[in-house]
Amino acid sequence: MENQQRDAIAPTDKLKITEFRESIKGDFKGKLCPTCNRIAREQKRKISKKNCLALLHILKYYRFTENVTTLDFFDSHEIFADNPQLLIDFQKLAYWDLIEAKGKIVNGVFRREINRYRISENGIKFAKRKLQYQFTRLFMMVL
């Protein structure tokens, strides 16, 4: 049945990926991705209470830990050792650019280091209530 859905959707005209992302906004049925020929669509993601608590826990780590410079990378297992339930979904904060993963680009692909993150400037502003987000943010999901 999924192949029938893919055949029913006309392929896009080899748009650049940024143009494709703009063209897919608001389209919850989906379009064919020009790079991988799979159906891509947007989904709503919400910031949960646990994600907000995890962000505040990270900000508390930066404030009250000695020998930590601003925006220094941390080990996620070390921070959430007291509250392991916050560790489960805190990586989703990257959807809203509230945290950043440590890594480097190898052969054009970003390779992140395991369990190494830092809070972003937007994360600090959001935790201090200087920045407001809509609590639903759309992102592209490839099926």
Side-chain angles (χ1 to χ4, degrees):
M1 180 168 169
E2 195 168 313
N3 289 336
Q4 292 173 351
Q5 288 177 342
R6 288 182 183 170
D7 294 337
I9 299 173
T12 57
D13 297 328
K14 297 290 182 183
L15 297 174
K16 292 182 181 177
I17 194 68
T18 55
E19 293 174 355
F20 178 70
R21 286 183 179 157
E22 291 298 319
S23 72
I24 203 169
K25 285 190 177 180
D27 184 7
F28 296 103
K29 292 183 181 179
K31 293 182 180 178
L32 272 178
C33 178
T35 57
C36 64
N37 285 335
R38 297 190 321 186
I39 295 176
R41 63 177 168 215
E42 283 188 333
Q43 277 191 338
K44 290 185 180 183
R45 295 285 187 206
K46 294 184 179 186
I47 298 176
S48 68
K49 292 176 189 177
K50 285 186 178 182
N51 287 343
C52 291
L53 286 173
L55 185 66
L56 292 174
H57 201 75
I58 293 169
L59 190 64
K60 183 176 79 171
Y61 167 78
Y62 281 107
R63 282 191 181 168
F64 298 113
T65 304
E66 295 180 13
N67 300 329
V68 175
T69 59
T70 305
L71 299 181
D72 193 16
F73 288 97
F74 60 86
D75 183 12
S76 60
H77 289 292
E78 179 183 319
I79 285 187
F80 297 114
D82 298 339
N83 293 325
Q85 68 273 13
L86 296 179
L87 181 64
I88 296 169
D89 288 336
F90 101 97
Q91 294 93 350
K92 292 182 181 179
L93 292 171
Y95 291 141
W96 295 275
D97 189 33
L98 300 176
I99 62 169
E100 300 170 349
K102 183 177 183 180
K104 54 186 165 184
I105 297 178
V106 178
N107 296 330
V109 178
F110 182 74
R111 302 280 184 195
R112 68 180 182 93
E113 288 185 27
I114 297 173
N115 302 327
R116 302 296 293 173
Y117 297 93
R118 70 177 175 189
I119 194 167
S120 67
E121 292 288 334
N122 288 336
I124 295 170
K125 291 177 185 176
F126 181 75
K128 292 182 177 181
R129 295 184 181 181
K130 294 182 180 178
L131 177 70
Q132 293 181 355
Y133 275 102
Q134 289 183 333
F135 285 106
T136 56
R137 170 109 176 189
L138 300 174
F139 79 101
M140 186 174 70
M141 182 182 103
V142 178
L143 298 175

